[in-house]
Every structure is written in C-alpha cells, then in structure tokens.
Amino acid sequence: FHGSDIEKICEVYQLKPEEIVKFGANVNPLGLSEHVKKQLAGRLDILSSYPDRDYTDLKKAIAAYTNTSPEHIVVGNGSTELISLLISQRAPKRELNLVGGTLEYYNLKEEQDFRLDISDLTDTLKSDIDLLIICNPNNPTSSAISTADMKKLLTVCRSLGIFVMIDETYIEFAPEGTSLSAVSLVPEFDNFMVIRGVSKFFAAPGLRFGYGLTSNQAFLQTLLIHQNPWSLNSIGAYAGERMLKDIDYIQKTWSLIDSERTRMCTELSGLDTVKIYPAYANFVLVKILKEGLTSFDVFEKAIHQNLMIRDCSSFESLNGEYVRFCIMNPEDNDRLLDVFRSL
C-alpha cells in the first residue's frame, strides 16, 4: 500500500479512516497552521478575482524564506507540475519513456547506510545523459547530500552538459546545523533547479502549491511559455505566502520533528530485531533483521493497531525487508515503538 491508500486499507482491514495514524504519509503531524486557517477564512472573497499572473508578492515571500532572489523563482500547481514541466523541457524522452527514452537508476548501497558516494556517482556520469534527478533528503532512505558534495556534483554535471533537478521536499525537516540545501548554490550554477512544495512540511498537500528555483533565465522563460496561465489559484497563492511567513509554526514543527526523531532512533537502536539508518528527513528507514519476519508482517502488525506504516517492498532496488515510518505526535510514536519492541 502507498501512503495515500487510506480508502483501500480501510476496506481490506475493516477500519475507519479517522482512527488510523498515518505513519506512511510523511506529512507534518501538526496539521495545517491555525494562523493560516484563520487568515484564509476571512479572505475567501479572493476567489472572485484572478491571481496576479506574475505572483509578485508570493515570489517575494519565497525569496525571503529561501534567502534568494525573486527573479530565480517559478511557482506552480504543486511540485508535481514543475517536475513534469522540467522533465518535458530538459529531456522530453525521459517523460515519454514509452516511445524510446531510457531511464537509468543509480543505486545507493546498504553497506554505506545508503549514503551517496559522490565520487562513484560522478565517475558513472556520461555526457550523453540529459538529466540527473536527485532527491535530497532521499526517499525512502532519509539519507542526505551535503551542500559541499552537491557543489562537487554540480561542477561535474556542468562540465558534461547535464542538467540537474534537485527535489527538496523534505529539506526543511533536516536537523539543525546540517548544511544540505542547494538553494545557496543557485547564483553560482545555472545547470540545475531546486523544487519544493508545501505538502509535507506545511501539511498542505491539497493546496497544490510548489515552487522552483534556478538562475537559468532562459530555462525559466521556457517553463513560463509552456506553463498554463494562472497555474496556481488565488487560494494557493494567498495561503502559500502566509505559510512561509508563519515563523511560530515553522519553529514548532522543527522542534517536534527533531526531538521525536532523535528519541525514536535512540529507542530503536537498542533493539536487535531491527536496524535503522541516519535520518535527515521526517521519516526513518528500518531494516527487519528477525529471521522469517517480512516487511508485510510488520505492516500488518502495525495496521491492526490502527498504525499505518509503509511496507517498502515496492521501492525500486531496495532489496531485503524494510519498512518506513514518519515522525508523528509523541503519544502515537510511543504506540509504534511498542510494535517494534514486540517483534
């Protein structure tokens, strides 16, 4: 089951959606900001007007939030739209895989705790590659690439004529003091784009608001030509701007995730039935070590307690028995820890 398959899970296990704790969805357990809710409730009249076609105020808010320039920003109907636009414009063969394009995977190694070996990857890259796609932090491993290593990678890719797409969906959950985001590299390199959204950190997947950052002005103009006008609706633009300015919510989220992630990883590290890996996102990858116990067995053990984790058997090239769970509220995390202790 995918993290969003609540209806299917409820049908199979005879459960009620409202009773399930969604450890598989990777969404902020605080839910939508109450401050943003109140502001939205009083401004529903904006639906009677078109949004600013250039999204000027929203881009200024994104620029302030990411410490970059508004001229480097494009907004869209969720990060999904921007990913599709980027791929179609940089490497249309990749998106149209069924008509002759090729897609290659670069596999992280379990013996290296799924950390990316930059030297090995750069040695693998060739000039006939159109596009390199990186998730940082990565899903489902929760491993991450430092800004310094990303700079090395971008330098090699620039010399080979390779454009890089960096999906930073989970970057805001990273532990304090870790230098991971590639946004600071935007002015220096024009061969990449960072893509982010508000689905996970700001608990707003239904808002469909995403944004991209790149210093490649020619590419930005190409995206805008092919993007539908007013791609982001008035509510999305208004709410997105206010989410990025909600400092109290941002700090509360980070504090909760960081403290609970540390606590859960410490607890699980003491068990001999599982292995965990260093986590930089708001989720943790767990390898099942108990002989004869499968990832689906653990999924079922949890779902019978109304706790939905992710069975990772469907992930490409993740060989072995793995599950993934995201960080939720402390009381729910305690219930999940009891499941792992009982394995």
Side-chain angles (χ1 to χ4, degrees):
F1 297 101
H2 185 268
S4 61
D5 289 340
I6 294 297
E7 290 78 11
K8 189 184 297 183
I9 290 171
C10 288
E11 180 182 348
V12 171
Y13 293 98
Q14 298 298 296
L15 301 173
K16 297 178 180 178
E18 63 272 15
E19 295 176 352
I20 296 177
V21 182
K22 301 172 185 176
F23 280 96
N26 298 345
V27 174
N28 187 340
L30 294 180
L32 191 64
S33 160
E34 291 298 326
H35 179 64
V36 172
K37 283 183 187 179
K38 290 177 183 177
Q39 289 185 303
L40 269 177
R43 285 301 312 275
L44 292 180
D45 59 302
I46 61 174
L47 286 173
S48 298
S49 304
Y50 283 101
D52 168 20
R53 188 163 182 157
D54 295 323
Y55 299 100
T56 305
D57 290 340
L58 178 58
K59 288 181 180 179
K60 287 180 180 178
I62 296 169
Y65 180 68
T66 58
N67 193 29
T68 189
S69 170
E71 69 180 14
H72 294 154
I73 297 168
V74 60
V75 302
N77 188 244
S79 59
T80 305
E81 183 205 18
L82 296 177
I83 290 171
S84 180
L85 274 172
L86 187 154
I87 293 174
S88 66
Q89 297 310 307
R90 299 304 312 192
K93 291 185 302 181
R94 307 281 183 220
E95 188 173 39
L96 302 177
N97 188 272
L98 294 178
V99 292
T102 58
L103 181 66
E104 298 177 34
Y105 291 93
Y106 178 85
N107 295 324
L108 302 177
K109 299 177 177 63
E110 194 276 338
E111 59 268 25
Q112 296 175 341
D113 286 345
F114 298 110
R115 292 187 179 94
L116 178 62
D117 184 332
I118 291 293
S119 296
D120 185 66
L121 175 58
T122 54
D123 288 344
T124 304
L125 296 175
K126 302 171 185 176
S127 59
D128 63 348
I129 294 174
D130 299 313
L131 176 67
L132 175 65
I133 300 174
I134 297 282
C135 295
N136 195 37
N138 189 45
N139 184 15
T141 63
S142 205
S143 54
I145 307 168
S146 70
T147 306
D149 278 345
M150 191 67 79
K151 184 173 182 178
K152 295 176 185 176
L153 180 59
L154 290 171
T155 300
V156 172
C157 286
R158 182 167 59 185
S159 69
L160 294 172
I162 299 172
F163 197 85
V164 183
M165 183 185 85
I166 305 173
D167 184 340
E168 290 192 348
T169 296
Y170 299 103
I171 201 81
E172 291 127 313
F173 292 111
E176 187 174 23
T178 54
S179 178
L180 301 179
S181 178
V183 170
S184 63
L185 302 175
V186 167
E188 185 176 353
F189 294 88
D190 67 354
N191 64 316
F192 81 104
M193 173 178 268
V194 171
I195 291 181
R196 292 185 181 180
V198 297
S199 295
K200 305 301 184 180
F201 189 85
F202 292 95
L207 192 65
R208 307 315 306 141
F209 161 46
Y211 58 95
L213 304 102
T214 182
S215 59
N216 191 319
Q217 290 301 312
F219 177 50
L220 269 180
Q221 292 307 310
T222 299
L223 287 183
L224 292 173
I225 289 172
H226 289 87
Q227 186 179 37
N228 289 330
W230 301 294
S231 178
L232 180 64
N233 63 42
S234 299
I235 292 291
Y238 181 86
E241 181 182 344
R242 278 140 192 85
M243 284 175 179
L244 299 179
K245 295 178 179 179
D246 193 346
I247 304 302
D248 288 342
Y249 177 88
I250 292 169
Q251 184 58 48
K252 187 176 180 181
T253 294
W254 188 87
S255 296
L256 170 65
I257 299 301
D258 189 60
S259 61
E260 284 298 291
R261 176 175 52 210
T262 299
R263 182 175 76 90
M264 294 195 77
C265 288
T266 300
E267 290 281 343
L268 291 173
S269 295
L271 303 179
D272 58 9
T273 52
V274 299
K275 176 183 177 180
I276 63 167
Y277 303 88
Y280 291 87
N282 65 324
F283 53 83
V284 180
L285 181 68
V286 179
K287 184 176 184 179
I288 309 303
L289 300 179
K290 187 173 181 179
E291 188 174 352
L293 189 67
T294 69
S295 55
F296 186 68
D297 292 335
V298 179
F299 170 86
E300 285 214 311
K301 193 173 184 66
I303 200 64
H304 286 305
Q305 300 295 323
N306 284 344
L307 309 174
M308 187 195 74
I309 61 175
R310 180 68 187 272
D311 175 357
C312 293
S313 58
S314 62
F315 278 96
E316 179 77 26
S317 303
L318 192 60
N319 300 318
E321 300 299 331
Y322 294 89
V323 294
R324 188 201 67 197
F325 67 86
C326 65
I327 307 301
M328 300 298 283
N329 290 311
E331 58 272 21
D332 294 322
N333 294 335
D334 286 338
R335 292 172 59 199
L336 184 59
L337 283 172
D338 285 341
V339 170
F340 282 111
R341 292 187 188 109
S342 69
L343 296 180

